[in-house]
Amino acid sequence: MNIILLGPPGAGKGTQARILVEGRNMVQLSTGDMLREARTSGTEMGKMVAEVMDKGHLVTDEIVIGLIREQLTSGKAGGGYIFDGFPRTLAQADALGSLLAELGEPLDAVIEMQVDDAALVSRITARSTCGNCGEVYNDNTKPIPADHVCTSCGQRAEFKRRADDNEESLKTRLLAYYKQTSPLIGYYYAKGALKSVDGLASMDKVSASIAKALG
Ligand code: AMP
């Protein structure tokens, strides 16, 4: 089963992708994670994308499609792929369609995670992740443990905040979502692949709705 998690920054795509990875042996393909890795690698591509990401703009289609192509052609995912944060433009959606067709792979569902903008701002400005396993924390709802031992991996860890998780960059990221990514809701609806879930519910409720949508 191959699925797309679609929603604005802070909708909970990464958190739900992690739950699907654990529960269904799926492989998470997050272009955001790939780009963050590229920027720390010191490559030319990494330097190029760092500034774009920090400002909250989208990296070029060519770069992200290249990253996804590399992943899809380099191995097979047992339980299928979860596309997290990709596609983000119509050109990326078309490219993904062609890539999957080339590989003879289906696209089984596109899960739209619906949330309101005020909730996104408070979620994002309060979020941090475990530097060891990537578990997501929130200053208000799930604070970092006082002893800095991650509740998910059990390791004493450094907890990181993303450079682009600030109000200024978030405004640009939200605008990019509404201008460039939200047309994908109609695109996948027309293809009969769209399923929408309430992303504002608790983490467990959201994952139950996703499980129901996937059947
Ligand atoms: P994310 O972790 O998905 O919130 O992505 C963080 C940042 O990486 C975004 O704000 C963009 O700058 C960049 N990015 C991630 N995925 C894509 C994509 N599919 N297309 C263009 N830029 C992307």
Side-chain angles (χ1 to χ4, degrees):
M1 180 178 280
N2 300 311
I3 66 168
I4 294 172
L5 293 182
L6 185 64
K13 302 184 294 294
T15 301
Q16 293 301 326
R18 288 165 61 80
I19 293 172
L20 289 165
V21 167
E22 277 177 27
R24 297 180 182 239
N25 192 31
M26 295 177 84
V27 171
Q28 177 188 11
L29 294 183
S30 156
T31 39
D33 285 350
M34 293 175 208
L35 291 166
R36 276 184 287 280
E37 204 179 303
R39 61 182 288 174
T40 56
S41 67
T43 58
E44 274 313 303
M45 195 259 270
K47 284 180 211 153
M48 217 161 69
V49 300
E51 202 181 327
V52 178
M53 288 175 80
D54 285 349
K55 286 192 177 146
H57 295 296
L58 291 189
V59 169
T60 64
D61 289 336
E62 200 188 347
I63 290 178
V64 288
I65 292 167
L67 289 170
I68 288 288
R69 177 187 296 277
E70 212 175 290
Q71 294 290 324
L72 290 184
T73 52
S74 69
K76 202 156 170 58
Y81 293 105
I82 306 158
F83 297 96
D84 162 12
F86 179 91
R88 258 175 156 101
T89 63
L90 289 167
Q92 292 177 23
D94 281 339
L96 177 63
S98 308
L99 255 171
L100 290 174
E102 244 173 68
L103 297 166
E105 288 276 342
L107 176 62
D108 297 279
V110 177
I111 307 283
E112 180 209 359
M113 301 180 63
Q114 298 177 324
V115 277
D116 76 57
D117 295 341
L120 295 178
V121 177
S122 71
R123 268 193 193 180
I124 285 198
T125 50
R127 102 174 146 183
S128 55
T129 55
C130 166
N132 191 40
C133 72
E135 180 73 2
V136 182
Y137 288 81
N138 179 293
D139 296 343
N140 308 313
T141 56
K142 187 181 169 189
I144 296 168
D147 56 5
H148 279 225
V149 173
C150 174
T151 51
S152 174
C153 66
Q155 306 279 320
R156 201 178 150 77
E158 214 182 293
F159 292 82
K160 299 177 179 170
R161 285 188 197 270
R162 280 169 46 169
D164 58 348
D165 275 353
N166 59 73
E167 273 196 70
E168 198 46 43
S169 148
L170 180 58
K171 274 188 216 152
T172 314
R173 286 157 71 198
L174 267 181
L175 211 60
Y177 176 78
Y178 287 115
K179 278 171 81 172
Q180 292 164 278
T181 309
S182 65
L184 298 186
I185 297 170
Y187 175 99
Y188 286 118
Y189 174 79
K191 285 183 181 282
L194 193 76
K195 320 241 182 203
S196 301
V197 300
D198 173 12
L200 271 187
S202 68
M203 193 178 77
D204 291 345
K205 280 199 177 137
V206 177
S207 72
S209 318
I210 292 178
K212 194 170 161 210
L214 296 180

